[in-house]
Amino acid sequence: MGYNEEDLRKLHQVLKEICAEIVRVCDENGIEYFIQGGTAMGAHFFNDIMPWDDDMDLGMTMDNYRKFIELAPGKLRKGFSLQVFETEPDTPFYFAKVRKDDTLFVEDLYRNLNIHHGIYVDIFPYGKVPDCHIGEVVQREQVRFLINCFISKTIWVWRRLAKHPEECMFDKSLLSCLLIKCYSALFSKRQLYRQMMRVMSRHDKGKHKYYNIVRMPKDQIEVEAIKHPVMAEIGSLKVKCPANVEGYLRHHYGQNIQKWPAPHLRVNHAPMILKFNAEEE
């Protein structure tokens, strides 16, 4: 499906409502967070969600992420749910989502999974990456492989070796698919999750320059920019943003960042089903 103007307006309202609840839990419990990706882009250029965007992304260093995952189930107000492997073992996502109950945002790839499908805000764990390029690449490739194995325990998203090819979206070499199949067969989903988190945080005690989602090189943020965040606005909501956000955005999206990119670059994640009240027709 696509969006009409009214649906996007209502979706933005719900996203900010979810984000405000996450921020409340963080502020009340000493958990540091920061906006990232397109959410930071929207705050920088629009002081709001980008007009065409349909999600919000937050980041946390690994220590803060673990603290949030531990506390959120008991701290989130009624009507909001934490979705992460520790609370919902059938989730295919290696990161956390906070979803609003009694809403639906059913994405095509995950439509047959028995998971919470409500409207959500993503929370990504960030680990330090070594300053040595080779060390960074090794860590990133290990994490990427483990994430693929973790996902494969719930859903197979690649075209090769699939039982139901019509449900698969991404191309990957036959060798890569074989390696994922073989390695993931040796471990439980919980063991893969623990391996993945351990590799992500492998360098967190070191004095390195950057934090990163680890699997994606463009998501690097300077350690100092996270240590000393600045406040930004997303509508009436005030949130923490990495210092030197323009420098971060240029690294993330390229030097030629624009308030209004070309129409074909204004991408979103329009779902199969969107309902602001799950009981509505």
Side-chain angles (χ1 to χ4, degrees):
M1 66 166 282
Y3 293 108
N4 59 48
E5 188 174 328
E6 178 63 11
D7 279 346
L8 263 181
R9 185 193 66 78
K10 291 165 113 177
L11 180 58
H12 287 184
Q13 182 178 349
V14 174
L15 290 172
K16 285 183 272 194
E17 182 183 349
I18 299 169
C19 187
E21 179 62 9
I22 296 170
V23 168
R24 181 192 66 80
V25 171
C26 289
D27 288 347
E28 291 181 1
N29 293 279
I31 300 170
E32 294 298 324
Y33 70 91
F34 51 91
I35 57 173
Q36 61 108 53
T39 305
M41 180 80 85
H44 181 64
F45 281 122
F46 295 96
N47 292 326
D48 211 328
I49 300 173
M50 292 185 291
W52 60 89
D53 206 359
D54 61 355
D55 71 351
M56 293 185 72
D57 299 319
L58 304 181
M60 296 179 184
T61 63
M62 196 63 73
D63 286 346
N64 284 290
Y65 180 82
R66 287 178 173 135
K67 186 176 180 181
F68 183 84
I69 296 311
E70 178 184 355
L71 294 179
K75 299 292 185 180
L76 289 168
R77 290 189 175 113
K78 184 178 179 180
F80 300 92
S81 297
L82 176 69
Q83 183 180 68
V84 71
F85 177 69
E86 288 95 330
T87 63
E88 194 171 343
D90 288 335
T91 178
F93 309 111
Y94 73 92
F95 50 91
K97 293 175 180 280
V98 173
R99 296 194 185 253
K100 186 174 181 185
D101 299 339
D102 299 321
T103 66
L104 285 176
F105 190 97
V106 182
E107 297 169 281
D108 183 46
L109 184 59
Y110 310 116
R111 66 188 185 276
N112 294 323
L113 298 183
N114 185 26
I115 60 174
H116 194 322
H117 287 284
I119 297 170
Y120 61 84
V121 169
D122 288 330
I123 305 174
F124 291 95
Y126 274 68
K128 282 184 180 176
V129 292
D131 296 333
C132 166
H133 177 67
I134 293 176
E136 177 193 339
V137 171
V138 168
Q139 182 192 23
R140 186 188 316 128
E141 292 305 315
Q142 287 178 331
V143 168
R144 186 177 291 160
F145 177 72
L146 288 168
I147 288 173
N148 288 339
C149 291
F150 173 81
I151 293 170
S152 76
K153 300 295 277 190
T154 303
I155 184 171
W156 190 260
V157 297
W158 304 283
R159 297 186 189 283
R160 300 174 193 270
L161 303 183
K163 293 181 180 179
H164 304 289
E166 71 277 3
E167 295 186 4
C168 300
M169 296 181 62
F170 307 113
D171 202 10
K172 190 178 281 292
S173 73
L174 178 60
L175 177 60
S176 293
C177 288
L178 282 170
L179 288 173
I180 292 168
K181 284 279 190 183
C182 292
Y183 192 83
S184 61
L186 298 174
F187 301 97
S188 69
K189 190 175 179 183
R190 183 171 299 279
Q191 289 172 321
L192 290 169
Y193 182 79
R194 289 174 176 168
Q195 290 179 39
M196 174 186 67
M197 298 299 281
R198 187 164 57 246
V199 177
M200 278 188 187
S201 57
R202 175 187 293 160
H203 299 285
D204 281 5
K205 301 301 181 185
K207 294 183 178 180
H208 303 291
K209 186 177 180 181
Y210 290 102
Y211 277 107
N212 194 291
I213 290 180
V214 177
R215 71 186 293 259
M216 294 178 274
K218 67 181 182 179
D219 281 311
Q220 287 190 353
I221 301 179
E222 291 184 351
V223 170
E224 291 302 310
I226 292 177
K227 281 184 179 178
H228 307 287
V230 297
M231 297 306 294
E233 294 180 351
I234 299 179
S236 61
L237 179 63
K238 296 191 183 305
V239 293
K240 293 179 181 177
C241 180
N244 186 25
V245 65
E246 185 168 340
Y248 157 66
L249 291 172
R250 290 187 186 281
H251 185 279
H252 190 105
Y253 293 104
Q255 290 298 312
N256 189 31
I257 57 171
Q258 302 175 46
K259 183 173 183 177
W260 295 100
H264 72 279
L265 297 175
R266 301 176 198 173
V267 297
N268 55 39
H269 316 83
M272 287 181 60
I273 302 171
L274 174 63
K275 291 187 179 181
F276 299 102
N277 182 335
E279 296 181 356
E280 69 188 12
E281 291 297 328

